[in-house]
Amino acid sequence: MTKTSQLIVIGGGAAGMMAAIAAAQAGTKVCLIERNEKLGRKIYITGKGRCNVTNHCSVEEVLTATARNSRFLYGALNRMTPGDVERFFTDLGVKLKVERGNRVFPESDKAADIIDALFFQLKRLNVSIVQARASEIICDDTGAVCAVNTDRGSFECKAVILATGGLSYPATGSTGDGYKMAADLGHNVVSPSASLVPLESSDDFCGQMQGLSLKNVKLTVKNQKKKVLYQEQGELLFTHFGLSGPLILSASAHMRDFEKNQYTCWIDLKPALDEATLDARLVREFTENANKDMANILGALAPRMLIPVLLERSGIPGDRKAHDVTKGERRRLLELLKNFSVSISGTRPISEAIITAGGIKVSEVDPKTMGSKKVSGLFFAGEILDVDAYTGGFNLQIAWATGHEAGISAAEYLKELDTF
């Protein structure tokens, strides 16, 4: 064995760094193993490089924003609330600010400030940081954790926290190593899939409108049974492959198993107007511009790139004079403005996802400690667990909370071992 620590944390992302800090503050000798040269690679790209640290909200609101297994997080989130996270970083010297949707960012708009604060806290607490790729967790004859094998040799320990992330953004080191290590120890892994990811559509008109951003629209997602799965107002973007943008990323968390389900996105382009009011608006526009071509008068109602698609889907020729539009054609146009449908064929690859859905089955993890129910001395934190939430800082909040819980619990586990 090349080195000995009480606790090894595998993964130097948000959850792993928080876990190492929490355990070290409790007096534990910690070694943090990270395969990348620098810690926090994925934090650098969160919030478009600004790092959406958390959401300035209640624990219940975080739970509501969690798409899978929210109740599993109840204890961890109550012991490390969004307010606690804000105080944690403020105490480390990072000034924070709250923006639209209660999103919390560093005042500097630099994710590097968050990473630096964590790194220097690790150094102050004498956490040993080793650049290596962990491959296997070793257990002794009693079934308890005793070592970690890496490409730089074996490291003795009495406990391990797995915080290797999921499969999203593999360039940051999230390549599923933790799933294999846990599975080798008998844990079941819920098949990973993309979440908070752009959506693909086979509808040709999406490509026609590539680059079109729609703000203040209402998105409703329904399955083949017409059940509403998601509904929210905000911003989305048409792309060459389908749809993207904040609304779409959050909606994707509700769209699973495309082999069994079919999904349609319905966009209300005029959510502030009911159908009767919008129809009166159409009548007024048509009357005031009776002798103008339809292609030229819809600019008052829709973005330029959307007009050809609206006319084509409503069956109205672009050179049709407004006074020649029939009541039926006006009705079809109205329905499109209130219910513009986009059929969804699937998600973009998991490598393009912000977060991974799936992971370590939470029924095999103690929610009070993040400890394994199968292996003594093994704990989990962050995206490796089968929990995921919407955009807005919620996933980082989950990482901080589960990392803190795992770190504290691992330290307590080690203290109990020393008493025997």
Side-chain angles (χ1 to χ4, degrees), residues 84-227:
D84 293 332
V85 170
E86 291 182 51
R87 282 186 289 276
F88 173 83
F89 283 105
T90 299
D91 289 345
L92 291 182
V94 181
K95 294 182 179 179
L96 303 174
K97 61 181 177 179
V98 180
E99 296 187 359
R100 178 180 57 84
N102 287 327
R103 290 168 167 82
V104 179
F105 292 92
E107 202 172 85
S108 64
D109 284 331
K110 295 179 180 178
D113 287 355
I114 296 297
I115 299 165
D116 288 347
L118 293 165
F119 176 76
F120 289 117
Q121 181 69 347
L122 289 167
K123 300 303 284 185
R124 280 191 290 270
L125 292 167
N126 297 314
V127 172
S128 173
I129 300 171
V130 176
Q131 184 186 355
R133 184 171 183 174
S135 58
E136 185 181 18
I137 297 169
I138 307 300
C139 294
D140 61 21
D141 293 340
T142 68
V145 166
C146 67
V148 173
N149 287 340
T150 78
D151 58 0
R152 290 186 59 185
S154 293
F155 293 74
E156 271 189 345
C157 62
K158 295 180 180 179
V160 167
I161 297 175
L162 258 181
T164 51
L167 290 174
S168 58
Y169 295 124
T172 64
S174 298
T175 53
D177 290 6
Y179 298 146
K180 182 181 183 304
M181 285 185 269
D184 287 345
L185 294 176
H187 272 279
N188 288 291
V189 179
V190 177
S191 183
S193 61
S195 187
L196 302 188
V197 65
L199 300 172
E200 294 186 343
S201 173
S202 57
D203 293 335
D204 293 337
F205 55 76
C206 289
Q208 288 178 243
M209 297 187 289
Q210 179 180 350
L212 173 61
S213 177
L214 298 177
K215 297 182 179 180
N216 298 318
V217 296
K218 184 168 77 173
L219 174 70
T220 303
V221 176
K222 296 181 182 179
N223 62 13
Q224 69 273 22
K225 297 178 181 179
K226 306 299 181 185
K227 181 181 178 181

Side-chain angles (χ1 to χ4, degrees), residues 34-109:
E34 165 57 42
R35 60 186 289 186
N36 292 311
E37 185 179 348
K38 294 183 178 180
L39 300 178
R41 282 281 301 276
K42 192 172 180 182
I43 296 176
Y44 273 112
I45 59 176
T46 61
K48 298 180 180 178
R50 298 168 60 216
C51 187
N52 188 178
V53 180
T54 185
N55 194 282
H56 186 71
C57 67
S58 67
V59 168
E60 284 302 322
E61 287 172 298
V62 179
L63 294 172
T64 300
T66 302
R68 292 167 70 92
N69 299 316
S70 61
R71 301 316 298 179
F72 170 79
L73 298 168
Y74 184 84
L77 286 169
N78 272 286
R79 286 183 283 276
M80 186 67 161
T81 68
D84 293 332
V85 170
E86 291 182 51
R87 282 186 289 276
F88 173 83
F89 283 105
T90 299
D91 289 345
L92 291 182
V94 181
K95 294 182 179 179
L96 303 174
K97 61 181 177 179
V98 180
E99 296 187 359
R100 178 180 57 84
N102 287 327
R103 290 168 167 82
V104 179
F105 292 92
E107 202 172 85
S108 64
D109 284 331

Side-chain angles (χ1 to χ4, degrees), residues 343-358:
S343 59
I344 303 302
S345 56
T347 68
R348 294 295 286 170
I350 195 169
S351 60
E352 296 181 26
I354 292 176
I355 203 80
T356 304

